[in-house]
mmCIF file of all heavy atoms in Angstrom:
data_model
loop_
_atom_site.group_PDB
_atom_site.id
_atom_site.type_symbol
_atom_site.label_atom_id
_atom_site.label_comp_id
_atom_site.label_asym_id
_atom_site.label_seq_id
_atom_site.Cartn_x
_atom_site.Cartn_y
_atom_site.Cartn_z
ATOM 1 N N SER A 535 -19.709 -1.543 52.931
ATOM 2 C CA SER A 535 -19.486 -2.998 53.432
ATOM 3 C C SER A 535 -20.150 -3.977 52.456
ATOM 4 O O SER A 535 -21.193 -3.669 51.816
ATOM 5 C CB SER A 535 -19.988 -3.048 54.838
ATOM 6 O OG SER A 535 -21.418 -3.085 54.753
ATOM 7 N N PRO A 536 -19.694 -5.223 52.504
ATOM 8 C CA PRO A 536 -20.243 -6.179 51.699
ATOM 9 C C PRO A 536 -21.738 -6.463 52.083
ATOM 10 O O PRO A 536 -22.649 -6.700 51.234
ATOM 11 C CB PRO A 536 -19.444 -7.503 51.977
ATOM 12 C CG PRO A 536 -18.126 -6.925 52.338
ATOM 13 C CD PRO A 536 -18.438 -5.693 53.043
ATOM 14 N N SER A 537 -22.116 -6.366 53.320
ATOM 15 C CA SER A 537 -23.441 -6.449 53.711
ATOM 16 C C SER A 537 -24.311 -5.444 53.156
ATOM 17 O O SER A 537 -25.549 -5.688 52.796
ATOM 18 C CB SER A 537 -23.587 -6.576 55.295
ATOM 19 O OG SER A 537 -23.168 -5.401 55.896
ATOM 20 N N ASP A 538 -23.859 -4.169 53.138
ATOM 21 C CA ASP A 538 -24.679 -3.054 52.492
ATOM 22 C C ASP A 538 -24.817 -3.287 51.022
ATOM 23 O O ASP A 538 -25.913 -2.985 50.453
ATOM 24 C CB ASP A 538 -24.013 -1.660 52.857
ATOM 25 C CG ASP A 538 -24.211 -1.331 54.345
ATOM 26 O OD1 ASP A 538 -25.171 -1.807 54.990
ATOM 27 O OD2 ASP A 538 -23.428 -0.458 54.727
ATOM 28 N N ARG A 539 -23.764 -3.770 50.367
ATOM 29 C CA ARG A 539 -23.833 -4.134 48.902
ATOM 30 C C ARG A 539 -24.979 -5.161 48.674
ATOM 31 O O ARG A 539 -25.744 -4.958 47.850
ATOM 32 C CB ARG A 539 -22.466 -4.699 48.425
ATOM 33 C CG ARG A 539 -21.337 -3.702 48.453
ATOM 34 C CD ARG A 539 -20.098 -4.444 48.071
ATOM 35 N NE ARG A 539 -18.928 -3.632 48.357
ATOM 36 C CZ ARG A 539 -17.690 -3.871 47.850
ATOM 37 N NH1 ARG A 539 -17.464 -4.978 47.242
ATOM 38 N NH2 ARG A 539 -16.876 -3.048 48.204
ATOM 39 N N TRP A 540 -24.853 -6.161 49.598
ATOM 40 C CA TRP A 540 -25.810 -7.341 49.426
ATOM 41 C C TRP A 540 -27.263 -6.831 49.566
ATOM 42 O O TRP A 540 -28.016 -7.074 48.766
ATOM 43 C CB TRP A 540 -25.468 -8.382 50.385
ATOM 44 C CG TRP A 540 -26.394 -9.597 50.192
ATOM 45 C CD1 TRP A 540 -27.519 -9.898 50.925
ATOM 46 C CD2 TRP A 540 -26.230 -10.596 49.248
ATOM 47 N NE1 TRP A 540 -28.018 -11.049 50.470
ATOM 48 C CE2 TRP A 540 -27.197 -11.580 49.433
ATOM 49 C CE3 TRP A 540 -25.251 -10.973 48.325
ATOM 50 C CZ2 TRP A 540 -27.448 -12.745 48.757
ATOM 51 C CZ3 TRP A 540 -25.372 -12.204 47.572
ATOM 52 C CH2 TRP A 540 -26.445 -13.006 47.766
ATOM 53 N N LYS A 541 -27.420 -5.937 50.571
ATOM 54 C CA LYS A 541 -28.804 -5.499 50.897
ATOM 55 C C LYS A 541 -29.302 -4.697 49.746
ATOM 56 O O LYS A 541 -30.511 -4.900 49.401
ATOM 57 C CB LYS A 541 -28.789 -4.609 52.144
ATOM 58 C CG LYS A 541 -28.653 -5.470 53.411
ATOM 59 C CD LYS A 541 -28.501 -4.446 54.635
ATOM 60 C CE LYS A 541 -28.118 -5.270 55.867
ATOM 61 N NZ LYS A 541 -27.844 -4.428 57.045
ATOM 62 N N GLU A 542 -28.487 -3.816 49.194
ATOM 63 C CA GLU A 542 -29.025 -2.960 48.114
ATOM 64 C C GLU A 542 -29.384 -3.805 46.949
ATOM 65 O O GLU A 542 -30.504 -3.678 46.357
ATOM 66 C CB GLU A 542 -27.939 -1.948 47.718
ATOM 67 C CG GLU A 542 -28.315 -1.011 46.646
ATOM 68 C CD GLU A 542 -27.270 0.066 46.369
ATOM 69 O OE1 GLU A 542 -26.519 0.486 47.298
ATOM 70 O OE2 GLU A 542 -27.200 0.539 45.225
ATOM 71 N N LEU A 543 -28.595 -4.656 46.432
ATOM 72 C CA LEU A 543 -28.837 -5.475 45.225
ATOM 73 C C LEU A 543 -29.883 -6.489 45.586
ATOM 74 O O LEU A 543 -30.669 -6.918 44.702
ATOM 75 C CB LEU A 543 -27.605 -6.055 44.670
ATOM 76 C CG LEU A 543 -26.675 -5.118 43.987
ATOM 77 C CD1 LEU A 543 -25.416 -5.698 43.482
ATOM 78 C CD2 LEU A 543 -27.427 -4.217 42.903
ATOM 79 N N ALA A 544 -29.897 -7.077 46.765
ATOM 80 C CA ALA A 544 -30.911 -8.071 47.191
ATOM 81 C C ALA A 544 -32.270 -7.453 47.108
ATOM 82 O O ALA A 544 -33.262 -8.112 46.678
ATOM 83 C CB ALA A 544 -30.596 -8.682 48.518
ATOM 84 N N LYS A 545 -32.486 -6.250 47.479
ATOM 85 C CA LYS A 545 -33.774 -5.555 47.481
ATOM 86 C C LYS A 545 -34.195 -5.460 45.955
ATOM 87 O O LYS A 545 -35.322 -5.794 45.642
ATOM 88 C CB LYS A 545 -33.640 -4.182 48.107
ATOM 89 C CG LYS A 545 -34.989 -3.431 48.102
ATOM 90 C CD LYS A 545 -34.877 -2.040 48.715
ATOM 91 C CE LYS A 545 -36.129 -1.383 48.663
ATOM 92 N NZ LYS A 545 -36.037 0.119 48.511
ATOM 93 N N GLU A 546 -33.332 -5.090 45.152
ATOM 94 C CA GLU A 546 -33.709 -4.996 43.687
ATOM 95 C C GLU A 546 -33.980 -6.365 43.084
ATOM 96 O O GLU A 546 -34.913 -6.502 42.357
ATOM 97 C CB GLU A 546 -32.506 -4.317 42.930
ATOM 98 C CG GLU A 546 -32.192 -2.900 43.205
ATOM 99 C CD GLU A 546 -30.951 -2.397 42.632
ATOM 100 O OE1 GLU A 546 -30.469 -3.080 41.653
ATOM 101 O OE2 GLU A 546 -30.384 -1.350 43.055
ATOM 102 N N LYS A 547 -33.243 -7.380 43.484
ATOM 103 C CA LYS A 547 -33.517 -8.730 43.038
ATOM 104 C C LYS A 547 -34.866 -9.312 43.458
ATOM 105 O O LYS A 547 -35.635 -9.827 42.757
ATOM 106 C CB LYS A 547 -32.341 -9.656 43.468
ATOM 107 C CG LYS A 547 -32.450 -11.113 43.027
ATOM 108 C CD LYS A 547 -32.492 -11.168 41.510
ATOM 109 C CE LYS A 547 -31.335 -10.878 40.713
ATOM 110 N NZ LYS A 547 -31.388 -11.164 39.323
ATOM 111 N N CYS A 548 -35.130 -8.979 44.727
ATOM 112 C CA CYS A 548 -36.430 -9.422 45.291
ATOM 113 C C CYS A 548 -37.621 -8.781 44.473
ATOM 114 O O CYS A 548 -38.671 -9.456 44.159
ATOM 115 C CB CYS A 548 -36.608 -8.990 46.726
ATOM 116 S SG CYS A 548 -35.628 -9.998 47.874
ATOM 117 N N GLU A 549 -37.500 -7.479 44.170
ATOM 118 C CA GLU A 549 -38.504 -6.842 43.345
ATOM 119 C C GLU A 549 -38.657 -7.450 41.954
ATOM 120 O O GLU A 549 -39.764 -7.677 41.505
ATOM 121 C CB GLU A 549 -38.211 -5.306 43.286
ATOM 122 C CG GLU A 549 -38.433 -4.540 44.568
ATOM 123 C CD GLU A 549 -37.812 -3.170 44.478
ATOM 124 O OE1 GLU A 549 -37.365 -2.722 43.432
ATOM 125 O OE2 GLU A 549 -37.900 -2.529 45.548
ATOM 126 N N GLU A 550 -37.523 -7.698 41.435
ATOM 127 C CA GLU A 550 -37.471 -8.398 40.061
ATOM 128 C C GLU A 550 -38.052 -9.825 40.141
ATOM 129 O O GLU A 550 -38.835 -10.209 39.203
ATOM 130 C CB GLU A 550 -35.945 -8.577 39.586
ATOM 131 C CG GLU A 550 -35.863 -9.246 38.256
ATOM 132 C CD GLU A 550 -34.258 -9.400 37.999
ATOM 133 O OE1 GLU A 550 -33.509 -8.515 38.269
ATOM 134 O OE2 GLU A 550 -33.967 -10.544 37.513
ATOM 135 N N LEU A 551 -37.758 -10.562 41.104
ATOM 136 C CA LEU A 551 -38.334 -11.918 41.330
ATOM 137 C C LEU A 551 -39.888 -11.913 41.553
ATOM 138 O O LEU A 551 -40.562 -12.732 41.101
ATOM 139 C CB LEU A 551 -37.556 -12.627 42.352
ATOM 140 C CG LEU A 551 -36.172 -13.008 42.003
ATOM 141 C CD1 LEU A 551 -35.489 -13.736 43.216
ATOM 142 C CD2 LEU A 551 -35.964 -13.775 40.783
#
Side-chain angles (χ1 to χ4, degrees):
S535 72
S537 62
D538 286 341
R539 295 175 189 193
W540 184 265
K541 286 175 190 172
E542 184 175 328
L543 289 181
K545 181 181 177 208
E546 292 173 18
K547 181 57 70 175
C548 285
E549 291 170 2
E550 177 186 322
L551 292 175

